[in-house]
């Protein structure tokens, strides 16, 4: 992965929050980790990537952030079912937006959502994962990109 | 006028139902393509918002099926898939508009108004 690849996903994170809730996310410096060290919060939405690029993209966030985000979306109900749905939708949206750069050969799966720390994220072991940390309101969350 | 909202995300279906400003008498929902086809046969909606990445049947194929059932149906694709090829495929299959996720309330209503105006 190149610096330009990382920028695609940083832009995706910023676009999601600016367009959905009109409150910008502040992205911190991305860093590399081994696939076994990838971070995970209370809820994680995982998108498998195939086609021209292979690997996965996942968004992981604490419960409190998702509760706040649902309220920001105008949702009167905040429960775990909606938080699971939302974390998958955020991952799907940021991954899908990347096709504007990579084209339709960047094929994405429907989201797999995990509540609690995933025991087995199945990141490709031969690849390193780029961690893109960001803050929205007072919360910290992470987008992890692991692509060939 | 009947509106059908098709998306595998409950959050998105609920958002569209909450913020749309169409003068509808009924809103129905479907969470995948198969369900959308069944609901379309039963309800014959006038306007549809259609996600593309869904389990069982993707939205591009689903648009084609809905147009076969109701040729004058107006379908607005609302998808995160931001490449031109996907938008063109959806339009070729009968969609009349394309809105990229993430979308604001204003963007949704602007796209729906254009859809009704035939633009």
């Amino acid at each position: 992965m190149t610096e330009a690849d990382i920028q695609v996903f940083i832009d995706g994170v910023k676009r999601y929050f600016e367009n959905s809730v009109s409150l910008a996310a502040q992205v911190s410096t991305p860093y590399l980790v081994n696939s076994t060290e990838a971070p995970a919060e209370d809820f994680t939405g995982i998108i498998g990537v195939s086609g021209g690029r292979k690997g996965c993209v996942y968004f992981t966030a604490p419960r409190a952030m998702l509760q706040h985000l649902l309220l920001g979306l105008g949702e009167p109900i905040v429960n775990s079912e909606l938080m699971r749905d939302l974390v998958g939708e955020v991952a799907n949206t940021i991954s899908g937006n990347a096709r504007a750069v990579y084209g339709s050969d960047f094929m994405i799966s429907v989201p797999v959502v995990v509540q609690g720390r995933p025991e087995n994220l199945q990141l490709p072991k031969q690849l390193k994962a780029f961690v893109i940390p960001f803050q929205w309101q007072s919360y910290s969350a992470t987008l992890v990109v692991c692509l060939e | 006028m009947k509106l059908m909202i098709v998306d595998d995300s409950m959050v998105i279906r609920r958002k569209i139902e909450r913020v749309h400003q169409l003068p509808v008498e009924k809103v129905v929902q479907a969470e995948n393509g198969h369900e959308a086809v069944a609901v379309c046969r039963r309800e014959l909606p006038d306007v549809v918002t259609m996600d593309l990445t869904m389990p069982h049947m993707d939205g591009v194929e689903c648009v084609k099926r809905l147009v076969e059932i109701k040729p004058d149906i107006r379908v607005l694709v609302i998808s995160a898939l931001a490449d031109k090829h996907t938008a063109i495929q959806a339009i070729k299959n009968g969609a009349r508009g394309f809105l990229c996720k993430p979308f604001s309330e204003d963007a949704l209503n602007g796209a729906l108004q254009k859809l009704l105006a035939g633009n």
Side-chain angles (χ1 to χ4, degrees):
Chain A
M1 289 183 65
T2 65
E3 195 174 319
D5 290 323
I6 300 303
Q7 192 62 47
V8 169
F9 292 95
I10 290 173
D11 292 345
V13 168
K14 290 180 175 177
R15 186 184 308 110
Y16 181 85
F17 287 91
E18 284 167 7
N19 288 10
S20 295
V21 287
S22 301
L23 283 169
Q26 306 301 317
V27 176
S28 304
T29 305
Y31 58 92
L32 271 171
V33 295
N34 292 317
S35 57
T36 54
E37 302 165 336
E41 300 285 349
D42 299 329
F43 291 84
T44 300
I46 306 163
I47 303 292
V49 178
S50 59
R53 307 294 294 265
K54 291 180 176 59
C56 73
V57 176
Y58 75 84
F59 168 64
T60 186
R63 171 181 290 270
M65 179 185 182
L66 295 171
Q67 288 173 332
H68 200 144
L69 186 52
L70 281 168
L71 292 171
L73 290 167
E75 181 58 65
I77 298 171
V78 174
N79 58 35
S80 292
E81 185 180 13
L82 287 175
M83 284 187 267
R84 285 193 296 272
D85 187 282
L86 178 60
V87 80
E89 180 62 17
V90 174
N92 172 69
T93 300
I94 294 170
S95 302
N97 283 182
R99 284 170 59 133
V101 175
Y102 299 128
S104 56
D105 195 30
F106 187 83
M107 300 171 73
I108 63 171
S109 71
V110 294
V112 173
V113 173
V114 179
Q115 185 172 348
R117 184 171 179 86
E119 291 299 319
N120 187 1
L121 268 173
Q122 306 242 346
L123 294 179
K125 287 180 182 161
Q126 73 278 19
L127 297 178
K128 289 189 180 287
F130 272 94
V131 177
I132 302 172
F134 63 92
Q135 289 73 46
W136 180 75
Q137 302 287 66
S138 58
Y139 309 105
S140 296
T142 306
L143 187 78
V144 176
V145 183
C146 189
L147 296 174
E148 285 180 2
Chain B
M1 181 188 296
K2 286 184 188 175
L3 168 66
M4 179 165 72
I5 302 167
V6 186
D7 202 301
D8 60 339
S9 166
M10 190 191 319
V11 168
I12 295 296
R13 294 197 307 273
R14 289 168 64 93
K15 177 179 177 179
I16 293 171
E17 180 163 14
R18 201 166 48 244
V19 306
H20 81 81
Q21 294 173 350
L22 293 175
V24 296
E25 59 202 40
K26 187 174 185 181
V27 178
V28 292
Q29 298 187 7
E31 63 180 49
N32 60 60
H34 284 312
E35 189 180 344
V37 170
V39 173
C40 185
R41 285 203 178 100
R42 188 177 69 237
E43 299 286 347
L44 296 175
D46 305 286
V47 177
V48 177
T49 66
M50 172 69 67
D51 187 19
L52 293 184
T53 309
M54 295 182 292
H56 309 310
M57 182 197 301
D58 71 57
V60 172
E61 173 65 20
C62 188
V63 171
K64 189 177 176 183
R65 302 276 187 92
L66 300 192
V67 172
E68 287 169 0
I69 295 167
K70 192 171 190 286
D72 65 343
I73 200 165
R74 293 171 185 265
V75 180
L76 173 67
V77 170
I78 302 179
S79 174
L81 302 181
D83 60 294
K84 288 179 184 171
H85 174 77
T86 301
I88 289 168
Q89 283 300 114
I91 298 294
K92 279 184 176 174
N93 275 7
R96 301 194 190 185
F98 193 99
L99 177 64
C100 197
K101 293 179 182 177
F103 59 88
S104 66
E105 184 176 332
D106 287 346
L108 172 68
N109 282 305
L112 287 171
Q113 288 305 317
K114 284 183 180 176
L115 189 77
L116 285 190
N119 296 329

